[in-house]
């Protein structure tokens, strides 16, 4: 748990012999740090992970939450260190499910690619990304980067009547660290896909990625 009870990541191990693990990111709980992260979408900053061909822009609030999740040290252990310990006791080819709801889902779309950049004991781990009612961290470039990674599953689920996953788009592509105006947008139809693809979005300034049913 990060300072101020703002963000929480939970690691679970399946005991049914399926050799699978889950990294679960908590959504908004209504405290002030959470609400500030949710609303801090007017400024974008670069996300630059190991192996990325070039940085992509994400909202400042999403970056703050992501940074807290991956750097918070609980009882002397970070999320990556806890997962390393768990996978060191796993059979080869484990599956790691990364998931979250609402703000937690947004953070999960950043945490899952980050975890893919790391080296894991006993060889490669298979990653699955599933989010529920999650706003996007940014637009087409970010979605294209997430899509470009190797996933065992990559799914985004939400109710078409839920405004949170489609809450805002930017009126223009801002430069790094530059504030920009945000507006609400309700699409007339929502495509369905198994991928977090941004292909149906008309311009690169939209932050709505293609979704799953």
């Amino acid at each position: 748990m990060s300072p101020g009870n703002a963000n929480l990541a939970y690691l679970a191990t399946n005991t049914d012999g399926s050799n699978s693990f889950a990294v679960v990111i908590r959504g908004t709980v209504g405290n002030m740090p959470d609400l500030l992260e949710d609303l801090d979408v007017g400024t974008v900053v670069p996300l630059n992970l190991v192996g990325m061909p070039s940085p992509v822009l994400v909202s400042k609030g999403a970056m703050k939450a992501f940074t807290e999740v991956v750097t918070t040290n609980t009882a002397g252990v970070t999320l990556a260190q806890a997962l390393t310990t768990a996978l060191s006791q796993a059979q080869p080819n484990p599956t790691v499910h990364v998931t979250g709801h609402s703000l937690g889902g947004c953070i999960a779309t950043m945490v899952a690619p980050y975890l893919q950049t790391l080296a894991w004991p006993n060889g490669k781990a298979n990653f699955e990304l599933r989010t529920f009612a999650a706003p996007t961290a940014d637009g087409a470039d970010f979605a294209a980067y997430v899509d470009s990674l190797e996933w065992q599953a990559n799914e985004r689920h939400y109710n078409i009547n839920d405004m949170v996953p489609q809450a805002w788009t930017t009126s223009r592509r801002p430069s790094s660290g530059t504030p920009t105006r945000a507006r609400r947008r309700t699409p007339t139809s929502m495509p369905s896909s198994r991928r977090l693809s941004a292909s149906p979005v008309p311009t690169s300034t939209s932050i709505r990625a293609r979704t799953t049913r």
Side-chain angles (χ1 to χ4, degrees):
M1 181 179 296
S2 65
N5 192 31
N7 299 289
L8 173 68
Y10 182 81
L11 174 61
T13 301
N14 201 318
T15 59
D16 65 357
S18 61
N19 198 31
S20 60
F21 304 81
V23 175
V24 184
I25 315 296
R26 188 187 66 188
T28 303
V29 294
N31 59 27
M32 186 55 66
D34 263 7
L35 295 175
L36 291 174
E37 288 170 358
D38 288 348
L39 296 173
D40 195 358
V41 298
T43 302
V44 291
V45 294
L47 171 69
N48 191 13
L49 300 178
V50 174
M52 291 181 68
S54 60
V56 295
L57 298 177
V58 296
S59 74
K60 186 177 179 181
M63 176 63 82
K64 181 177 186 298
F66 161 74
T67 302
E68 287 194 350
V69 166
V70 300
T71 61
T72 293
N73 189 309
T74 302
V77 178
T78 64
L79 174 63
Q81 291 169 337
L83 185 56
T84 295
T85 299
L87 294 184
S88 68
Q89 303 168 16
Q91 298 299 313
N93 299 312
T95 296
V96 179
H97 305 270
V98 184
T99 188
H101 169 262
S102 191
L103 173 63
C106 175
I107 302 169
T109 64
M110 301 173 69
V111 169
Y114 160 73
L115 293 177
Q116 287 226 44
T117 70
L118 305 180
W120 300 105
N122 299 327
K124 176 179 168 57
N126 302 303
F127 283 89
E128 298 193 1
L129 171 61
R130 291 185 177 87
T131 66
F132 299 87
T136 59
D138 198 67
D141 293 342
F142 174 74
Y145 165 66
V146 175
D147 264 4
S148 72
L149 302 177
E150 184 178 348
W151 302 102
Q152 187 165 275
N154 178 13
E155 302 176 3
R156 185 174 180 227
H157 302 265
Y158 71 86
N159 187 311
I160 193 171
N161 296 313
D162 186 352
M163 284 298 299
V164 171
Q166 44 188 307
W168 62 278
T169 62
T170 56
S171 58
R172 61 183 176 85
R173 169 58 67 193
S175 60
S176 176
T178 302
T180 186
R181 194 160 44 84
R183 60 182 175 83
R184 289 195 176 277
R185 177 175 184 235
T186 305
T188 56
S189 63
M190 297 299 294
S192 175
S193 172
R194 289 290 181 184
R195 303 288 292 169
L196 184 67
S197 169
S199 57
V201 177
T203 70
S204 63
T205 59
S206 171
I207 65 154
R208 179 174 61 83
R210 186 158 60 179
T211 62
T212 64
R213 56 183 180 272

